[in-house]
Structure formats: C-alpha cells, structure tokens
Amino acid sequence: MMTGTDISSFAWVVEGVLLLFVGCFGIVGNTISIVWFSRKIIVKNFHQLMLALAAFDLIYVCLSITIFSLPSLMPSLWTNSTYLHLIPMLLPMAQVGLSGSIYFTLAIAVERYCTVCHPFWKLSQNWSSSCYILPISFLSFCYNIPKFFEHQVVKRFDTNISTLGSNNTSIFYEEILPTQMRTNPAYIKIYCIYLNLVVHGLIPLFLLIILNISIYKQMGIVTAAGSRRQSNLHSREMKMAQVSCIIVAVFIVCHGVRWIPNVFELTRAEDDSEEVLTNWPPWVQYT
C-alpha cells in the first residue's frame, strides 16, 4: 500500500522529471519536423499532414509539460493566481491537441492507403490536404468544447491561519475545482468514459490496424513484382508508406498506456456513485 509520501515522490518522478525529459525530446522532434516539412520544395498531401500532425503534437506536449510537469517541480505555481486561471483553459486545449494528433495520424494512414492501394482512384479525385486538415482541426476543437466548462477557480477562506498581532484572521486562497457538470455521473459516464473510449480509442485503433495491414500487404505485392520501372515510379510513395507504418506503430505503443484509465473507468461506469467515478487509485492516476 502506497503512503502519501510514496505517492508524492512517485508523482514528482513521473509527472515532474520523466514527463519533462520525454517532453523535451517531443518538442525538439516536432519542431524539427515542422521546419523540415515546411521547407519541402515539392509539397504533397503527405508532407502537409505530417506538418499538421507535428503542430498538434507540439501543442499537446507543451501544454502537458505546463499543466503537469512544471507544478510538480515548482509547487509554488499552485499559489499563483494567473497560473490557476490559465489551467481551465489550457486543459481543454491540450485535449484539442491530443484529438488532432490522433486523427491526423489516422489521416496520414488514409492518405497512404489511397496512394499505395488505390493510386488511380486518388489521382482521379485530386484531393488537397485541406480536405483533411480543416475538418480534423474543426472537429477536434468542437468535440472538446465541453471540457472548457469542466473546471473553475474558486476562492476559499481559511480561518485557521493566524497572522502577527491577530488570531483567526480570514485569509483567502484560490484552488481549481470541478464544476457541477464535471461531477455529474451521467456526464462522466457518457462523455468522459464511453465517448472518450470510442472516439479516442476504438475507432482510430481499429481503422489504423486495418489500413496499415492493407498498406503492408500492397507494399509486399509491389516489392515482389520486381519491376524496375514500377519500383522507380513508386519508390518515394513506398518510403512514405513505411514512415506512415512506423508512425502508427509508435502511436499504438504510446497511446496504449493512456487507455488503461479508460478501461478502468469503463469497469466502474455502472456505479453512479460520484466517489467511485471520480476517485482513482494511484496506479491509474499516473498511467
């Protein structure tokens, strides 16, 4: 059984040190990707989608460090009024970045699938990257609108604190608390548990697996054909398809851990008790 001190130390290591360390690599990697793909002379849909993916990843990583890592390393931030009032806005923006990251990964897989498995159909359609970028960006924001109303900064008064020369002096402090909507059992079950599991988990995972299996099979067929002319024609497309498969593999590994709390919530979703729905054990909180 973990004590309060053990949980605090674990949170400091995971949220403070480890998240900051991994996040710095993410910031550097995504910044390089943005610079690299923005300088491409011949711009393709794949490049534009990779650029959008890097941008949304960068938003998510930067905000995650700001929200979770910095307060663990500098607890004094929890007493900073400006920081506290920013959190209810930064949390949903981080979720927007997460949603965009998930579905731009899926968009890249769809684009590669069309290019590799149905090249003539893709040429006949001539879709621009905006057909992917605009809807995903818009829907990522719209889906997370309720999260802008989940938290609020509340002023509280502490009458137990005494100051020099007087006792029982009322001193106010601010803290972030969930709104009534966020603690509503129906909202937690429908939006936070079921919708989140389907929209951020099952749908993208299922489609990514199906699309990339098809891409992998088609790449094998093209390679087995052994035609030099065909190889030269599709070499760049095949390389980009390989990059897409790698991105999806990394996506599944990294997001697999994030599904642990979703599954844990799902197992307790039928209990309408607010305590059951909002109180998680430490091993779930830090996955």
Side-chain angles (χ1 to χ4, degrees):
M1 183 69 179
M2 295 182 70
T3 64
T5 303
D6 294 333
I7 294 175
S8 298
S9 300
F10 186 70
W12 184 84
V13 172
V14 175
E15 290 187 344
V17 178
L18 188 59
L19 177 58
L20 180 62
F21 179 76
V22 175
C24 287
F25 278 100
I27 291 174
V28 172
N30 285 299
T31 302
I32 293 174
S33 296
I34 291 174
V35 173
W36 175 266
F37 288 109
S38 63
R39 291 185 175 181
K40 285 288 184 179
I41 298 176
I42 301 176
V43 180
K44 296 185 177 183
N45 286 350
F46 178 79
H47 301 145
Q48 295 287 349
L49 291 175
M50 287 293 293
L51 183 62
L53 174 61
F56 274 82
D57 274 345
L58 190 60
I59 292 172
Y60 179 67
V61 171
C62 289
L63 292 180
S64 295
I65 291 175
T66 303
I67 297 168
F68 301 109
S69 182
L70 294 184
S72 296
L73 299 175
M74 298 182 291
S76 60
L77 282 175
W78 291 119
T79 61
N80 186 293
S81 179
T82 302
Y83 179 79
L84 291 179
H85 282 83
L86 284 174
I87 291 299
M89 300 297 295
L90 296 182
L91 272 170
M93 288 307 299
Q95 289 297 315
V96 171
L98 176 63
S99 299
S101 175
I102 291 173
Y103 279 92
F104 274 115
T105 302
L106 180 58
I108 290 171
V110 171
E111 194 274 340
R112 286 296 88 195
Y113 170 80
C114 294
T115 302
V116 174
C117 299
H118 305 283
F120 297 108
W121 181 85
K122 183 185 176 182
L123 289 173
S124 66
Q125 300 302 315
N126 194 27
W127 287 356
S128 67
S129 60
S130 60
C131 294
Y132 298 94
I133 295 175
L134 295 180
I136 292 176
S137 300
F138 178 74
L139 293 175
S140 295
F141 179 80
C142 290
Y143 175 77
N144 290 287
I145 286 177
K147 294 189 176 295
F148 285 91
F149 305 96
E150 287 188 352
H151 298 88
Q152 60 185 339
V153 178
V154 178
K155 287 186 177 181
R156 291 184 175 271
F157 292 89
D158 191 343
T159 58
N160 296 322
I161 300 177
S162 62
T163 58
L164 293 176
S166 63
N167 292 323
N168 297 328
T169 301
S170 295
I171 297 179
F172 80 89
Y173 64 95
E174 295 177 317
E175 65 177 343
I176 301 173
L177 295 176
T179 61
Q180 185 177 1
M181 182 187 75
R182 182 61 180 85
T183 57
N184 184 286
Y187 175 80
I188 294 174
K189 289 169 62 176
I190 296 173
Y191 180 78
C192 298
I193 298 178
Y194 295 129
L195 269 180
N196 189 49
L197 182 63
V198 172
V199 174
H200 283 167
L202 298 181
I203 291 177
L205 177 63
F206 176 77
L207 291 177
L208 285 171
I209 291 175
I210 296 299
L211 290 172
N212 279 272
I213 288 176
S214 300
I215 292 171
Y216 185 79
K217 287 182 177 179
Q218 184 63 25
M219 289 171 60
I221 293 173
V222 172
T223 303
S227 170
R228 180 177 296 274
R229 182 178 178 181
Q230 188 178 29
S231 177
N232 292 334
L233 181 62
H234 294 286
S235 60
R236 289 188 178 181
E237 301 294 348
M238 291 299 112
K239 288 180 181 179
M240 287 189 283
Q242 291 172 348
V243 171
S244 173
C245 292
I246 294 173
I247 291 173
V248 170
V250 173
F251 170 88
I252 293 174
V253 172
C254 293
H255 285 261
V257 177
R258 192 180 55 79
W259 293 330
I260 294 176
N262 294 119
V263 175
F264 179 80
E265 282 183 319
L266 188 63
T267 61
R268 307 198 303 176
E270 295 307 317
D271 194 331
D272 289 334
S273 170
E274 180 179 326
E275 181 180 358
V276 170
L277 291 172
T278 56
N279 293 334
W280 292 355
W283 65 271
V284 177
Q285 292 183 27
Y286 299 105
T287 53

